[in-house]
């Protein structure tokens, strides 16, 4: 297999077979991320991709889901995605779906017609590092898109029938701004068509951890960014859960979260809020800070 650079997949793709489609990230400007620092974006040559498909076939001929690795493989053009999707289908005839990391930016240059065709070829799972739906926070993180872009591009995926999974990051707005970030993000996501209840399939919650060699870390060192407190982040998550009107799952169970939470927004709202309130009331800020400081790496900001 032709793996290069950082290679990994999200926890919920644990049972998927992985193949390298790209390496590095096309953007590399998010202020909180150093995941692909010093690594140039590269599409895997088609001959290597074909060889890897054949190798997978020799070991797992009945693979049903393939996860394409790389920071954001969906940045590839429609034609490049098409030929690779067809390559997978030719080699792995049992494959039913293909998934990968993507950014809101990567959807813009693809029409709904093209997205529908990609869906028909089996591309039907996009992990999108949205991080926020609040314009001020998106600008601070230098995401390269706005809340209106999020609504517009997700509507295209909805129309095409492509399943997607969104990331929201508590603490990203900085001290004193979490409530605004959560409320504005809920307003943004609530604009998703109420008739398309399958998307987002789930909302993955991460919590900002500052690492050296990131712009946001340097801003914090200069006093230009003040990190949110740990309890403040839990309050932020409560505000998000209280205001979301989507029938979707919340997965706040990555290692960046002090309190793991899993539940359905519509069915488990009160339970989720109650568990978060209990953690706030029974755990000291220092204990939470010590946990945050113990984290050495996350590997969770793909599709950013």
């Amino acid at each position: 297999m032709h793996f290069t650079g950082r290679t990994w997949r999200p926890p919920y793709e644990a049972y998927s077979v992985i193949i390298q489609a790209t390496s590095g990230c096309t953007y590399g400007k998010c202020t909180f991320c150093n995941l692909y620092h010093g690594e140039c974006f590269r599409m895997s040559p088609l001959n290597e991709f074909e060889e890897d498909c054949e190798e997978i076939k020799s070991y797992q001929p009945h693979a049903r889901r393939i996860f394409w690795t790389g920071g954001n493989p969906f940045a590839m053009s429609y034609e490049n995605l098409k030929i690779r999707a067809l390559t997978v289908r030719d080699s792995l005839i049992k494959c039913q779906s293909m998934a990968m990391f993507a950014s809101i930016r990567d959807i813009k240059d693809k029409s709904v017609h093209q997205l529908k065709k990609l869906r028909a070829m089996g591309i039907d799972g996009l992990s999108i590092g949205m991080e926020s739906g609040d314009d001020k926070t998106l600008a601070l993180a230098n995401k390269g898109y706005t809340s209106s872009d999020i609504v517009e591009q997700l509507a295209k995926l909805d129309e095409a029938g492509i399943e997607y999974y969104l990331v929201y990051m508590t603490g990203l707005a900085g001290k004193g701004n979490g409530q605004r970030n959560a409320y504005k993000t809920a307003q943004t996501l609530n604009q998703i068509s109420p008739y398309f209840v399958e998307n987002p399939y789930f909302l993955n919650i991460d919590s900002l951890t500052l690492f050296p060699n990131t712009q946001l870390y340097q801003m914090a060192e200069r006093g230009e960014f003040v990190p949110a407190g740990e309890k403040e982040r839990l309050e932020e998550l409560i505000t998000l859960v209280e205001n979301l009107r989507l029938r979707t799952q919340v997965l706040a169970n990555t290692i960046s979260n002090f309190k793991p939470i899993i539940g359905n927004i519509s069915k488990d709202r009160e339970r989720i809020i109650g568990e978060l309130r209990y953690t706030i009331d029974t755990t000291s800020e220092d204990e939470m800070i010590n946990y945050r400081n113990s984290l050495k790496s996350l590997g969770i900001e793909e599709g950013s």
Side-chain angles (χ1 to χ4, degrees), residues 5-190:
R6 291 290 293 268
T7 301
W8 60 276
R9 47 88 188 136
Y12 45 83
E13 297 288 351
Y15 297 102
S16 302
V17 177
I18 63 172
I19 187 171
Q20 179 170 290
T22 64
S23 57
C25 174
T26 59
Y27 189 62
K29 299 177 184 177
C30 296
T31 58
F32 59 86
C33 183
N34 66 351
L35 190 59
Y36 293 105
H37 181 73
E39 184 176 348
C40 295
F41 180 81
R42 171 184 178 269
M43 286 194 305
S44 295
L46 185 57
N47 67 305
E48 291 185 0
F49 192 82
E50 292 171 339
E51 290 172 7
D52 287 350
C53 284
E54 288 302 309
E55 186 169 348
I56 291 172
K57 181 180 178 180
S58 68
Y59 287 99
Q60 300 192 51
H62 302 294
R64 294 184 177 273
R65 184 171 173 94
I66 307 296
F67 185 82
W68 299 13
T69 68
N72 55 331
F74 205 66
M76 288 190 286
S77 68
Y78 166 75
E79 291 298 332
N80 278 319
L81 289 167
K82 173 184 174 181
I83 193 170
R84 284 164 175 76
L86 293 177
T87 297
V88 172
R89 297 299 293 269
D90 286 344
S91 295
L92 302 163
I93 61 174
K94 297 291 186 179
C95 179
Q96 297 178 341
S97 64
M98 287 167 261
M100 67 195 72
F101 290 115
S103 166
I104 294 296
R105 297 180 306 274
D106 302 335
I107 308 167
K108 288 185 176 183
D109 65 347
K110 298 171 181 68
S111 68
V112 172
H113 177 67
Q114 290 175 327
L115 293 170
K116 286 181 177 180
K117 293 185 75 172
L118 291 173
R119 171 64 182 85
M121 296 172 206
I123 294 178
D124 65 347
L126 298 182
S127 294
I128 303 174
M130 177 190 70
E131 324 303 356
S132 170
D134 168 49
D135 284 328
K136 290 184 178 179
T137 306
L138 290 170
L140 173 64
N142 195 27
K143 293 297 297 181
Y145 51 79
T146 65
S147 59
S148 61
D149 292 326
I150 293 172
V151 175
E152 180 180 350
Q153 300 309 314
L154 293 185
K156 289 165 62 178
L157 296 182
D158 288 342
E159 187 174 350
I162 293 178
E163 187 175 279
Y164 55 83
Y165 330 108
L166 302 178
V167 175
Y168 176 83
M169 184 177 290
T170 63
L172 184 59
K175 184 176 181 179
N177 299 314
Q179 297 296 309
R180 182 205 72 223
N181 186 25
Y183 181 72
K184 291 289 187 180
T185 296
Q187 285 187 315
T188 296
L189 294 181
N190 287 342

Side-chain angles (χ1 to χ4, degrees), residues 184-200:
K184 291 289 187 180
T185 296
Q187 285 187 315
T188 296
L189 294 181
N190 287 342
Q191 295 179 58
I192 296 174
S193 172
Y195 303 106
F196 197 94
V197 298
E198 291 88 355
N199 271 337

Side-chain angles (χ1 to χ4, degrees), residues 2 37 63 87 179 233 265 270:
H2 296 87
H37 181 73
T87 297
Q179 297 296 309
R233 299 175 191 220
I265 285 287
E270 295 306 316

